[in-house]
Structures are given as structure tokens and as C-alpha cells.
Amino acid sequence: MAHGGGGHAAEVYPENQVLAVGAILAIVGMYVAHFVPSLSMLIGGLLAAGACVAGANTVRKVAAYGLGTGVPSIGMISLGMGTMAALAGVLIPKVFGIPEIVTPILAAVIAIVVGFIIGRLTVNPVGMKIPIMVQSMTKLSLAGALAILGFCVAYAGGFSADVFIDNAVKNGIIALAFIGAGMSILHPFNACLGPNESHERTLTLAVACGLITWLVFAIAKLDLISTIVAAILWAIAYGTYVKMSLRDACCVLYTPELPKKEEE
Amino acid sequence: MDAVSLLIPLAEITIAGAIINASVHFVPVGGAPAAMATSTGVGTGTTQLAAGAGFTGLMAAAAMAAQAGVDVFNPAHLALIALSGAVGSMIMLGITMLIGQLIYVFGVGVVPAADKCEKDPITGDEQRPYITPGTTGHAVPTVCFVSGLIGAGLGGIGGALAYIALKQLGFDTAIAGILAVGFFFINAVLASYNIGGTIEGFHDPKFKKMPNGVIASFVASLLCGLVLLGMAGLA
């Protein structure tokens, strides 16, 4: 039984480009949030959504092969690896006395290393027969780490260990980041897969999911300006997605009815 | 800290990952076909079921660890925490399977029957005559139910062990909790990729693939353990 796996639709934007843009945006967002705490949710939250889009795009690419266990599984392992890498990025500088300025970069490097090794393990000994498994796990681990760290830094207002642990971990906000960012990484392709899946539509949904995660965080922080901006941007993105779905739905690809037994 | 107090948590984390991976192989997972009663097991994916059972176990373990006078370095208390995790997890999965079974039998109207064995290894009941043609069994037969309980118990012990190791490394409860959740997901998904779709339990031919998954989790958990040691300032 293979869940998912709608085959490959045409790729409009190259995967590496989307990943690079998403990762850079999220990292820039974290630095802005760290140095200008008053803008942390407005800029940091917006740019963290970039990591969600990058992750959703990679999920689309790898899950189209058919994972055998459903699309959500790869989103969840991405967030599992991401949580550890994000917290490692925050705690390791404190432990070893490295300047905390390296936190986002360190988290990204740890995420890439962990993702690569766990990706290799899914090929051998586990035996996943997806040619892009290793690179996809590496990219997903990176996207997961940056999404979690991005939203938590936006909420906490900085990535130094003391600020981050007190304002984003001990109050449980990191759990919200885990599931919120997780949903926006795994949901877009899970919702759009199947015949007539289009890259543009899936990515639009990914943007909408990233923005609604930002909206949730803005509400959680009671940041009025961010809430309004996020709500407007989300409404625009989601409206675009609905329009695209309606547009694409005029050419439904009908599948034939199941053959009746007598007609065999 | 000296080398021994550093090696014990590392060993615990590595073993915990391997146990979590093994536990997932016991849980009867049927996915979408099971939701339509055309295969055995619970009608959802491996990751979700393992996560549900594992997190309940983790909560039960954490609740026990938070009791006054419980010392995470005391072996007797350690066993008690692991047992609490196992029981919590078994109750969660047991109730899930029981309610699912009630819906299968009284709602859908199917007879619980396994496809992967001629006779139920536990009750000795004939299975074949009760399987609707074109399906791969229905509901949660006795052998699947027992296998699921064993899996949930192991999963709870694995989750509890990971949590204890994180506490021994000196992590704050909040950090240990979220790290254990991430750690649990890594191992549960590695196991579900090893299974690839559905599994009935320990009598399923796919169960023989378990060593691959356990080795993968062993290596992955060792890697996670090393990163965690760095985070705790012990490396």
C-alpha cells in the first residue's frame, strides 16, 4: 500500500533556489529579531515563514515518489531533527563560550549534518528506494530547524540562550512552533497531491500556511501590528490559492468508473 | 562530570532509540485500508500511532519523575519511571484499539480476522473463513491486540528512558520534554520507513525486517546522544 505519491508535475521554481531563498530569509529574520527586538515578530515572523515554504517545497519533491507511510511522516521527522538542531544551536554557544551571534548558522550546520546522516540511514540499512532521499532529508532537517528557531526567536525576541529558554521553551511556545511549523511544512503537498497537482498552487498554499503560522504566533504574543499585517497577508495568499483551485478545477481529470465484474 | 556519568546517559539514549524503533514494529497499523475495514489494525499511520502511544508514555514518565523524592539517578526510581511510562502508553493504545474494535464489530459489522496467519497464534482460532474476499483481514484480532500492547509497553519504556537520560544530563524539564518529543519522532519515522505501510504485529512477515530499523535507530540515537552531550556541556 502506498499512500500519496501523485507523480511529478512540472517544476516551476528550482528546488535549490527555493531552499536557498527560504533559508537566507529565515536567518536574516532571526538576526533582525535579535538586534531589533521591537520588530522581532513583524520581521522575524514574516521571514520565518520562508523556511516553511522551503520545507514544503522539498516535501513536495520527495513525497511525490511515494513514501509508503504518508506525507506527514516526513514532515514530522523533519521537525524532530529540527527541534534538536535548533536547541543545539542555542545551547552549544552558551556551554562552550562561543559568541551567541553564531546561533542561527550553528543550528543550520548541525541540522545539515544530522539530516545527512539520518538520511543515509533511511537508505541503508532501512532501504528506502527514493533516489533523492539523502539530499531531501538534509534539506528538510535544515528547513525544520530554521522554521522552529525562526518562530521561537520571533516570539522570544532574541536567540541568546537566556532569552530563548525563558521566553520560548519554558512557556511551551516551542511546542506551538513544532506543530505549527510542522503543519505548514507537511500540509501543502498533502492537500494538493494527486492528479493535476501544480507546483504553483502547492507553493501558494505553502505561503498561506507559513503566514497563518506567523498569524498564530503574532496572536500568541499579542502583537497588534503583526497580527493585522499577518491576517491581511494570509487572507491575500489564501484567497489566491482558492482562486487557483477554482481555476484549475474547470479541467477535472475524470478517472474511469471501477469496472463491473460482469464486464471483465 | 566524569566519564562514567557521561557514558551512562549516552548509552541510555542510544538504547532508548533502539527500543522505540523496535516497539513501533509491534503496533498493528492498517492505514487508510484499515479505516475502511479492508485490512487489520488501527486506521492510521505508524508515525501517528507511535507518537500517540509514545507521548502518553512520556507524560506518564514525566509525571512520575516530577514526584517529590524521586531521584533520576536511583536505579529503583528509574525502573519505576520506566514502568509508569509503559503503563501510560499501554492504556492509551489499548483504549484506542478497543474503541476501534467496537466500531469495527458493531458499526461496520466485520469479524476480527488476521490475514497474515492461518490460525491466531494466541487463541488458535481459524482466521481464513472469516476474511472477506478481496480484503487483507479486518479489525484488530487477538494476536494484533496483544502485539499492540507489547509495542506500546516497549514504546513507553523507550520514551521514559530517553527522558530520564535527558534529565540526568541536567536539562530543564521543559527542554528535556521537547527534546524527547523530537527524539521520539525521529525514531518512530525511521521505524515506519522500515515497515513501509501496514503491519499486523509480531506474526507479520514484515516483522522480520525489524533488525534493519533497530540498527538505523541505534546509529541515529548515538548521533543524537552526542549532539545532546554537547548541548549539556559534557562533551
Side-chain angles (χ1 to χ4, degrees):
Chain A
M1 183 192 64
H3 295 284
H8 278 290
E11 192 175 67
V12 187
Y13 311 98
E15 190 200 4
N16 287 335
Q17 236 169 58
V18 177
L19 182 81
V21 171
I24 290 169
L25 283 182
I27 290 176
V28 169
M30 283 179 233
Y31 281 113
V32 172
H34 185 69
F35 290 112
V36 195
S38 55
L39 288 176
S40 68
M41 186 49 83
L42 194 63
I43 307 288
L46 172 65
L47 297 186
C52 296
V53 177
N57 190 49
T58 301
V59 166
R60 172 186 180 272
K61 185 129 184 175
V62 67
Y65 284 92
L67 295 166
T69 60
V71 179
S73 64
I74 200 150
M76 284 292 115
I77 197 171
S78 149
L79 271 291
M81 298 184 291
T83 311
M84 205 174 60
L87 278 170
V90 171
L91 292 176
I92 287 179
K94 189 189 178 194
V95 169
F96 291 94
I98 308 166
E100 62 196 24
I101 196 88
V102 301
T103 293
I105 311 287
L106 185 66
V109 171
I110 293 171
I112 289 171
V113 172
V114 170
F116 180 77
I117 295 175
I118 292 184
R120 287 302 298 264
L121 289 170
T122 61
V123 175
N124 185 20
V126 168
M128 290 290 278
K129 289 188 179 60
I130 294 177
I132 58 164
M133 196 66 190
V134 180
Q135 44 160 307
S136 295
M137 288 288 267
T138 312
K139 292 169 184 170
L140 275 171
S141 172
L142 175 66
L146 292 180
I148 290 193
L149 198 59
F151 284 117
C152 286
V153 168
Y155 187 90
F159 47 66
S160 59
D162 303 326
V163 174
F164 188 88
I165 298 298
D166 282 343
N167 297 331
V169 179
K170 286 191 177 167
N171 54 9
I173 282 295
I174 196 166
L176 185 64
F178 186 97
I179 208 70
M183 287 306 288
S184 45
I185 285 176
L186 68 86
H187 172 67
F189 184 67
N190 208 24
C192 294
L193 63 80
N196 207 23
E197 189 264 345
S198 92
H199 195 185
E200 220 185 339
R201 188 152 40 92
T202 307
L203 268 194
T204 311
L205 182 58
V207 171
C209 287
L211 290 174
I212 204 172
T213 311
W214 176 33
L215 175 60
V216 169
F217 272 85
I219 295 172
K221 204 185 177 182
L222 296 176
D223 187 326
L224 191 64
I225 299 171
S226 300
T227 307
I228 295 168
V229 176
I232 294 170
L233 289 181
W234 170 75
I236 294 171
Y238 193 69
T240 314
Y241 168 72
V242 171
K243 273 191 202 128
M244 282 171 131
S245 302
L246 292 175
R247 181 196 69 194
D248 293 355
C250 67
C251 52
V252 172
L253 303 177
Y254 288 105
T255 48
E257 277 184 34
L258 291 171
K260 297 207 168 52
K261 205 163 189 185
E262 305 88 71
E263 292 170 1
E264 268 175 20
Chain B
M1 275 197 188
D2 55 284
V4 177
S5 52
L6 189 148
L7 278 175
I8 289 172
L10 183 64
E12 281 173 348
I13 288 173
T14 310
I15 294 166
I19 292 177
I20 292 168
N21 190 303
S23 78
V24 175
H25 291 76
F26 283 90
V27 179
V29 174
M36 297 182 284
T38 61
S39 81
T40 47
V42 185
T44 185
T46 326
T47 323
Q48 286 85 347
L49 263 188
F55 295 162
T56 322
L58 202 62
M59 296 281 177
M64 180 61 90
Q67 296 294 321
V70 171
D71 175 17
V72 284
F73 292 98
N74 184 331
H77 293 183
L78 205 145
L80 211 59
I81 295 170
L83 195 67
S84 170
V87 172
S89 178
M90 284 166 89
I91 290 174
M92 185 271 167
L93 200 65
I95 291 174
T96 305
M97 290 190 291
L98 182 70
I99 301 293
Q101 186 80 313
L102 288 174
I103 295 170
Y104 282 128
V105 173
F106 298 107
V108 187
V110 293
V111 181
D115 177 53
K116 304 280 169 68
C117 50
E118 296 278 328
K119 279 186 178 180
D120 191 309
I122 292 170
T123 60
D125 293 341
E126 291 278 351
Q127 305 281 310
R128 292 275 173 222
Y130 298 100
I131 295 171
T132 313
T135 70
T136 59
H138 316 285
V140 190
T142 312
V143 60
C144 295
F145 200 100
V146 172
S147 180
L149 284 184
I150 297 172
L154 283 176
I157 292 173
L161 203 57
Y163 181 78
I164 292 166
L166 290 167
K167 288 293 280 180
Q168 286 179 345
L169 283 174
F171 283 110
D172 188 78
T173 305
I175 303 175
I178 191 78
L179 282 174
V181 167
F183 181 76
F184 200 95
F185 261 125
I186 294 173
N187 290 299
V189 175
L190 274 177
S192 72
Y193 286 162
N194 191 40
I195 295 166
T198 66
I199 188 164
E200 282 194 359
F202 57 71
H203 60 287
D204 193 301
K206 276 187 190 168
F207 190 74
K208 293 194 185 78
K209 284 172 72 185
M210 188 171 77
N212 292 342
V214 172
I215 293 167
S217 266
F218 191 86
V219 179
S221 306
L222 191 63
L223 170 73
C224 293
L226 291 174
V227 176
L228 293 169
L229 284 189
M231 288 160 71
L234 298 170

